[in-house]
Amino acid sequence: MRNDHFYRDSWVEINLDHVEYNIKQLAAHIGEDKGIYGVVKANAYGHGYVQVAQTALDAGAQALAVAFLDEALHLRKNGVHAAILVLGATRPEDAAIAADHDISLTFYRKDWLEAVRTQRFRKPLQLHMKLDTGMGRLGFRTEEEIHAALPLLDVPSLHLEGVYTHFATADDADLAYFEGQRSKFDKLYKSLQKAWPHPLIVHSDNSAASMRFAADESDFVRFGIGMYGLYPSKIVKEEHPIALRQAFSLHSKLVHVKQLEAHEAVSYGATYETNKAEWIGTLPIGYADGWIRKMQGFEVLVEGKRMPIVGRVCMDQCMVKLDKAYPNGTEVVLIGMQQNAFISMDEVADWIDTINYEVPCLIAARMPRVYKRSGRIVEVANALSPGESL
Ligand SMILES: Cc1ncc(COP(=O)(O)O)c(C=O)c1O
């Protein structure tokens, strides 16, 4: 790619048509009565906060969810007006900023409400009560805890907007634990309803639950990994409840192609040695970009053929063994499709013993993100210089 927006030959491409497709697939699957929170925390799982948020909303998501208040404020500052829920912990002293920007916060402790209810806000603070039904992370765990907290909400500055929980095993083959969480949620929610007979937004399903068990009582689902075209687990991928399209691909170019003699070494530690004359290509991407040292031995695509990464991955570069001489500037795909060959996010995740969620999150902010619609570039965002619409 030749452009005036970044000056290196490695970049991420985000296919926004695929984000749209994935949202529409889920919306059709869960039906019109349920809304969708597009989960865009962690820079939209490495895909780009604002671009994904806007695409998700245009495609039919009604609201957004993030982990931290900073992320919600980033969306607001970039012109996102939709409802945003912060899923994680927010300090009580930061509640006023959330209220000012119409950002809904999660609470899960009585003492947090005590600290917040005495504050004065310009607008009522929207709150969601988090129930811990088995994730063991954040949330009220018992009816007693819930009933002790509810009276503290009885001030005009606070508005209880929703109630939710999070499932730990909705992507598993064995559903016993999931069913247990679901019935615990039903029990706690019913008990809450008795003491709090006001309308509430109820939401509990993540991607796995929303794709596999759409027919439950909740009003909204929280759709994260599926929106990016990735299945939450191998089980769900095999079940294939809906079709998804991977939005993220990773690209680079050969910046130096040379032939080494037999018994010459490549990279730090000289751990790779040629056993005959070999063509070696250098890629300008390394572990500082999130292409971590464990990627050694994995493969990349050159002209649709797989070539192995040889020698240690350096901070900013790595080397591949080529089957022949290729011109400098030849495009290489590290994740995604080239000609008819495909390297999936799942394959990369398997290689480094992790889950697909972690891989796009690992790809560093310094890596430019190129956004495409109908095959055309619509935006290039580069953390090293401000994004620009084309
Ligand atoms: C509270 C909460 N809800 C929803 C999600 C989205 O989950 P998924 O990406 O599996 O759809 C997450 C992600 O970790 C989360 O922490």
Side-chain angles (χ1 to χ4, degrees):
M1 169 160 319
R2 188 171 179 81
N3 62 68
D4 294 330
H5 303 281
F6 59 91
Y7 306 97
R8 64 179 296 190
D9 280 332
S10 299
W11 69 98
V12 167
E13 281 183 21
I14 304 296
N15 187 331
L16 293 175
D17 294 336
H18 287 186
V19 174
E20 176 186 343
Y21 175 86
N22 298 329
I23 289 272
K24 288 189 168 161
Q25 287 290 111
L26 184 80
H29 184 67
I30 59 178
E32 282 173 5
D33 296 344
K34 265 192 213 292
I36 299 175
Y37 279 102
V39 182
V40 294
K41 63 197 172 98
N43 196 26
Y45 296 34
H47 293 61
Y49 285 112
V50 180
Q51 297 83 358
V52 171
Q54 217 66 69
T55 305
L57 293 166
D58 291 346
Q62 290 78 7
L64 302 165
V66 292
F68 301 114
L69 178 57
D70 310 66
E71 299 181 300
L73 290 169
H74 175 75
L75 290 168
R76 284 281 180 266
K77 279 181 199 142
N78 285 278
V80 175
H81 303 296
I84 306 176
L85 169 64
V86 174
L87 299 166
T90 306
R91 298 182 294 232
E93 58 268 36
D94 297 333
I97 303 169
D100 271 354
H101 291 87
D102 298 308
I103 294 165
S104 305
L105 297 183
T106 293
F107 73 99
Y108 49 89
R109 277 175 27 187
K110 191 179 151 213
D111 60 345
W112 191 90
L113 283 181
E114 278 159 355
V116 163
R117 75 193 297 270
T118 51
Q119 297 178 33
R120 290 161 68 118
F121 306 130
R122 274 190 279 265
K123 304 178 203 173
L125 177 65
Q126 306 296 329
L127 293 174
H128 288 230
M129 179 182 254
K130 178 87 186 276
L131 306 182
D132 179 7
T133 55
M135 180 72 185
R137 197 167 62 176
L138 301 177
F140 293 95
R141 299 171 63 86
T142 62
E143 293 185 43
E144 294 70 40
E145 282 178 9
I146 293 170
H147 291 289
L150 286 177
L152 298 170
L153 286 161
D154 211 7
V155 286
S157 57
L158 303 179
H159 176 244
L160 184 60
E161 184 180 48
V163 56
Y164 74 103
T165 194
H166 190 50
F167 296 124
T169 64
D171 58 350
D172 265 10
D174 181 349
L175 294 174
Y177 195 82
F178 168 74
E179 298 294 358
Q181 276 200 266
R182 223 160 43 176
S183 47
K184 184 160 185 199
F185 183 71
D186 285 347
K187 184 167 158 268
L188 292 178
Y189 173 56
K190 287 211 174 80
S191 170
L192 162 67
Q193 258 185 327
K194 274 196 201 131
W196 196 266
H198 311 288
L200 289 175
I201 301 170
V202 180
H203 50 106
S204 49
D205 295 348
N206 54 6
S207 294
S210 60
M211 291 195 284
R212 299 176 88 190
F213 321 108
D216 71 2
E217 300 290 300
S218 56
D219 305 306
F220 267 77
V221 302
R222 300 187 306 273
F223 193 45
I225 198 74
M227 179 164 65
Y228 306 100
L230 305 173
Y231 291 89
S233 68
K234 294 213 161 62
I235 303 283
V236 182
K237 192 173 188 177
E238 273 162 30
E239 283 179 4
H240 205 79
I242 60 172
L244 296 174
R245 295 180 179 162
Q246 184 176 306
F248 186 107
S249 56
L250 181 60
H251 306 253
S252 189
K253 283 184 179 176
L254 296 170
V255 291
H256 186 44
V257 177
K258 61 187 174 293
Q259 195 172 37
L260 296 189
E261 303 296 326
H263 308 299
E264 289 195 285
V266 173
S267 196
Y268 289 117
T271 57
Y272 179 77
E273 192 185 304
T274 55
N275 51 31
K276 55 180 171 41
E278 284 176 16
W279 288 98
I280 299 292
T282 303
L283 299 177
I285 180 171
Y287 62 76
D289 298 304
W291 197 246
I292 61 176
R293 280 165 53 107
K294 272 197 191 168
M295 295 314 302
Q296 182 175 346
F298 193 66
E299 292 168 328
V300 302
L301 298 174
V302 185
E303 287 186 356
K305 289 175 289 185
R306 285 175 176 254
M307 312 282 164
I309 297 168
V310 292
R312 289 187 185 151
V313 173
C314 310
M315 186 182 285
D316 318 289
Q317 301 173 76
C318 64
M319 274 61 79
V320 291
K321 179 176 154 183
L322 302 168
D323 59 343
K324 59 175 188 174
Y326 288 88
N328 287 317
T330 301
E331 190 170 326
V332 173
V333 168
L334 295 90
I335 303 173
M337 183 77 91
Q338 194 185 50
Q339 297 178 15
N340 287 325
F342 184 57
I343 294 180
S344 70
M345 199 72 81
D346 293 332
E347 190 183 342
V348 178
D350 282 347
W351 184 263
I352 60 174
D353 291 325
T354 186
I355 51 171
N356 56 19
Y357 291 69
E358 196 174 359
V359 178
C361 291
L362 276 174
I363 302 301
R366 81 169 181 183
M367 185 66 73
R369 263 75 171 166
V370 173
Y371 293 89
K372 287 191 162 175
R373 276 279 195 187
S374 310
R376 291 187 46 239
I377 297 173
V378 291
E379 186 174 342
V380 178
N382 181 357
L384 301 177
S385 66
E388 195 176 318
S389 291
L390 299 182

